[in-house]
Amino acid sequence: MTATELFPGLPDPEARPEFYDGVPMKRGLAWLIDAAVIGVLTALAVLLSAFIAAFFLPLTVLVISFLYRWVTITGRSATLGMRVMSVEFRTRYGERFDSGTALLHTLGYTVSVAVFPAQLVSIALMLITERGQGLTDHFLGTTAVNR
């Protein structure tokens, strides 16, 4: 099966490289922005809970991170950091993510972060594959492209 058959709605990286240029670096920078936003949201949750959330800090960060990513990706197929970096996710058919795809992508991301070797594989795949796809992207047939 050819790449065109696997990804019928996505631009060919050889014919239209501008869609993929710099995307791995932009995703890394977007991750840093998102981590900062999640940090602020977590601090607010701790304050608003009268510091009770601090007793469950790892769980608080996990829940806030998961919800933040799912909601923002559902909204415009990109987290806030990705929007700043002008990158968005697309399905194999070139469509923006719906809520279900955003949920699956967020779940895959969360698992890959929890299992460190999977995160390393995901980063390596983003750097060496022609579409800059991470591990979750490979499973779902999705990718990030320049807007």
Side-chain angles (χ1 to χ4, degrees), residues 25-39 68-69 79-82 85 109:
M25 177 63 74
K26 289 180 180 182
R27 283 180 82 171
L29 294 172
W31 184 88
L32 291 173
I33 294 167
D34 292 330
V37 172
I38 291 164
Y68 165 81
R69 291 178 189 287
T79 64
L80 296 177
M82 291 173 71
M85 299 308 301
Y109 166 80

Side-chain angles (χ1 to χ4, degrees), residues 27 89 92 97 101-113 118-119 121-123 125-126 133-143:
R27 283 180 82 171
F89 286 121
R92 73 178 66 243
F97 283 13
T101 306
L103 177 67
L104 290 173
H105 199 279
T106 302
L107 183 61
Y109 166 80
T110 303
V111 169
S112 72
V113 168
Q119 184 66 7
V121 169
S122 189
I123 292 168
L125 287 171
M126 282 184 223
Q133 296 168 290
L135 193 57
T136 301
D137 294 318
H138 280 327
F139 280 115
L140 296 178
T142 59
T143 193

Side-chain angles (χ1 to χ4, degrees), residues 29-113:
L29 294 172
W31 184 88
L32 291 173
I33 294 167
D34 292 330
V37 172
I38 291 164
V40 169
L41 292 173
T42 301
L44 286 171
V46 168
L47 288 172
L48 293 174
S49 70
F51 295 93
I52 294 171
F55 291 106
F56 309 100
L57 195 57
L59 181 61
T60 302
V61 173
L62 177 72
V63 169
I64 288 172
S65 175
F66 191 92
L67 291 174
Y68 165 81
R69 291 178 189 287
W70 181 27
V71 169
T72 58
I73 293 171
T74 296
R76 290 180 43 200
S77 211
T79 64
L80 296 177
M82 291 173 71
R83 292 175 200 168
V84 168
M85 299 308 301
S86 296
V87 176
E88 65 185 9
F89 286 121
R90 294 300 177 125
T91 67
R92 73 178 66 243
Y93 303 106
E95 300 165 339
R96 289 184 169 183
F97 283 13
D98 59 15
S99 182
T101 306
L103 177 67
L104 290 173
H105 199 279
T106 302
L107 183 61
Y109 166 80
T110 303
V111 169
S112 72
V113 168

